[in-house]
């Protein structure tokens, strides 16, 4: 009988050990899975070209809008696409927001004269990857960043260092970092793994850069600004023609002026274009991408034109007053305010 009891105690200890080992292993697996980087499909784009032209202050994904709240020092917030359920996600001041199924990527710029000493702790600048709830923020770089976009599993960015701006990329797992050019490049328009941009250093032609090979081609010679590709059409502001909003069809070779007075900014979303004019009757306009149905949304000077599926947001130039208007259909403008809960 004693031998049986001893055997049972031994078996019980073995079972307990196995259970504990299994629990420890499960915790280890969970911990590993929670920290393992989840990758994107090749060619995935983290935000629209038009939003990135406007500093990427808004990005929409799977029914959620992630945005820099101008009423709270541009800190990172989220809300539903209908502007309900507003939440603060991070205390960082953000721009160039890009979103995937698993992460938010953004440029952090927390500089303030009162916290200048934080630069030595790497808390002021950089590109940040965090979960969709704002948690587990990881710095992919601590550089001073002037613009950024996510393509596939690379984050492309312009890094400011020692008075110069370099075009670089880093992989989302931080395993690879490289310099593409020793000059700045507009990083907002990518299609079929090619970056489209207006030159800013030696010329103002429209170029395309193959992100795989690094080969650069010149597509349009001219004095252009803010070039972007959308569905085989290159849109740009023609500086030689009073900054007219212009479209070039890459399939037919046809160039069309969509608005022949001075424009200074635009955002294309689906079949509409929002654009800001500076022609004496300064206003925010919306028109169809074929140039029809030009409608004034609001008179005045506005910037940060950010389009989402239901609303387009914009701010009064030089102020933090945020407005919204339906992206399609109606033109009723509302002041969009949110007082953050401290």
């Amino acid at each position: 009988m004693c031998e049986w009891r001893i055997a049972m105690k031994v078996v019980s200890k073995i079972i307990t050990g196995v259970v504990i080992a299994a629990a420890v292993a499960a915790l280890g697996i969970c911990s590993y899975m929670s920290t393992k980087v989840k990758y994107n499909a090749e060619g995935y784009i983290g935000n629209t070209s038009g939003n990135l032209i406007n500093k990427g202050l808004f990005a929409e994904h799977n029914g959620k809008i992630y945005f820099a709240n101008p009423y709270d020092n541009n800190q990172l917030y989220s809300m539903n696409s209908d502007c309900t359920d507003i939440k603060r996600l991070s205390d960082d001041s953000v721009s160039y927001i890009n979103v995937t199924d698993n992460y938010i990527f953004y440029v952090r710029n927390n500089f303030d004269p009162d916290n200048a000493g934080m630069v030595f702790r790497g808390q002021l600048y950089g590109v940040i990857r965090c979960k969709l709830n704002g948690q587990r923020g990881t710095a992919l770089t601590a550089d001073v960043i002037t613009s950024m976009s996510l393509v596939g599993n690379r984050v492309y960015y312009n890094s400011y260092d020692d008075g110069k701006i370099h075009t670089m990329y880093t992989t989302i797992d931080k395993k690879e970092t490289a310099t593409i050019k020793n000059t700045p490049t507009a990083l907002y328009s990518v299609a079929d793994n090619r970056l489209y941009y207006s030159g800013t250093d030696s010329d103002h032609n429209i170029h395309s850069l193959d992100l795989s090979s690094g080969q650069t081609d010149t597509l349009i010679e001219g004095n252009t600004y803010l070039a972007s590709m959308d569905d085989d059409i290159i849109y740009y502001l023609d500086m030689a023609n009073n900054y007219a909003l212009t479209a070039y069809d890459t399939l037919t070779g046809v160039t069309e002026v969509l608005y022949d007075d001075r424009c200074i900014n635009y955002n294309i979303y689906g079949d509409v274009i929002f654009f800001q004019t500076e022609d004496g009757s300064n206003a925010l306009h919306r028109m169809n991408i074929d140039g029809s149905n030009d409608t004034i949304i609001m008179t005045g000077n506005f910037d940060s034109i950010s389009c989402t599926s239901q609303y387009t947001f914009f701010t009064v130039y030089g102020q933090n007053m945020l407005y919204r208007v339906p992206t399609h259909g109606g033109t009723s403008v509302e002041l969009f305010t949110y007082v953050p809960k401290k």
Side-chain angles (χ1 to χ4, degrees):
M1 190 69 174
C2 290
E3 292 178 355
W4 179 82
R5 289 179 178 175
I6 293 172
M8 289 302 295
K9 287 182 179 180
V10 171
V11 170
S12 176
K13 288 180 179 180
I14 292 173
I15 292 174
T16 301
V18 170
V19 171
I20 292 174
V24 170
L27 288 173
I29 291 172
C30 290
S31 176
Y32 170 75
M33 292 303 293
S34 68
T35 57
K36 183 180 179 182
V37 174
K38 299 177 177 64
Y39 296 98
N40 307 310
E42 290 301 321
Y44 180 90
I45 305 295
N47 201 346
T48 65
S49 173
N51 283 350
L52 293 175
I53 286 175
N54 287 271
K55 298 183 180 181
L57 301 178
F58 283 71
E60 186 177 24
H61 185 71
N62 287 346
K64 288 282 188 180
I65 296 172
Y66 303 86
F67 67 104
N69 188 351
Y71 302 110
D72 196 13
N73 196 34
N74 278 351
Q75 291 182 5
L76 180 64
Y77 276 66
S78 73
M79 60 183 171
N80 296 331
S81 293
D82 62 0
C83 300
T84 60
D85 193 25
I86 302 175
K87 299 176 181 178
R88 181 197 286 112
L89 302 182
S90 171
D91 293 335
D92 283 337
S93 293
V94 305
S95 60
Y96 296 100
I97 302 168
N98 287 249
V99 186
T100 73
D101 289 342
N102 300 292
Y103 303 112
I104 308 168
F105 298 82
Y106 60 84
V107 169
R108 172 168 66 189
N109 187 346
N110 290 336
F111 178 79
D112 184 279
D114 294 333
N115 63 20
M118 292 172 63
V119 69
F120 299 108
R121 299 194 296 273
Q123 298 176 14
L124 292 183
Y125 308 109
V127 174
I128 308 301
R129 184 196 74 221
C130 68
K131 297 179 68 175
L132 295 179
N133 61 4
Q135 301 300 308
R136 292 185 179 272
T138 299
L140 302 183
T141 174
D143 299 351
V144 177
I145 306 299
T146 60
S147 64
M148 181 270 283
S149 66
L150 171 76
V151 182
N153 293 298
R154 289 181 177 182
V155 173
Y156 293 86
Y157 57 93
N158 284 312
S159 173
Y160 179 85
D161 181 45
D162 195 24
K164 297 180 180 180
I165 297 178
H166 307 274
T167 305
M168 305 181 65
Y169 76 81
T170 187
T171 51
I172 65 172
D173 56 12
K174 298 178 61 174
K175 292 182 178 179
E176 180 184 351
T177 299
T179 299
I180 300 174
K181 294 172 60 180
N182 289 317
T183 55
T185 308
L187 297 173
Y188 40 73
S189 180
V190 174
D192 297 326
N193 208 42
R194 297 190 73 91
L195 175 67
Y196 296 85
Y197 62 96
S198 294
T200 58
D201 45 10
S202 60
D203 61 59
H204 295 285
N205 299 329
I206 296 177
H207 305 279
S208 71
L209 170 66
D210 188 316
L211 296 177
S212 297
S213 67
Q215 179 182 348
T216 301
D217 295 322
T218 298
L219 303 179
I220 300 174
E221 293 186 353
N223 198 10
T224 75
Y225 179 54
L226 294 183
S228 68
M229 171 75 83
D230 187 88
D231 197 19
D232 296 318
I233 307 293
I234 297 178
Y235 298 87
Y236 61 95
L237 303 183
D238 187 350
M239 292 191 289
N241 188 26
N242 193 31
Y243 285 76
L245 180 57
T246 307
Y248 172 76
D249 190 323
T250 60
L251 299 180
T252 65
V254 173
T255 300
E256 181 181 4
V257 175
L258 302 179
Y259 189 84
D260 60 5
D261 279 326
R262 183 181 178 89
C263 297
I264 60 172
N265 191 13
Y266 69 96
N267 191 333
I268 299 171
Y269 191 88
D271 58 354
V272 296
I273 307 174
F274 286 83
F275 58 99
Q276 172 68 38
T277 63
E278 196 177 68
D279 54 4
S281 298
N282 299 3
L284 178 67
H285 293 237
R286 183 184 69 197
M287 68 164 56
N288 297 331
I289 56 174
D290 62 2
S292 64
N293 197 29
D294 179 15
T295 303
I296 292 178
I297 299 298
M298 192 171 182
T299 58
N301 296 308
F302 307 100
D303 58 9
S304 303
I305 307 168
S306 304
C307 295
T308 66
S309 58
Q310 295 189 38
Y311 294 102
T312 290
F313 302 85
F314 56 94
T315 57
V316 177
Y317 181 76
Q319 301 180 28
N320 287 334
M321 298 173 62
L322 184 64
Y323 291 88
R324 72 179 185 185
V325 64
T327 298
H328 299 91
T331 57
S332 177
V333 176
E334 299 174 301
L335 182 64
F336 181 71
T337 59
Y338 176 72
V339 178
K341 298 176 182 178
K342 298 295 185 180

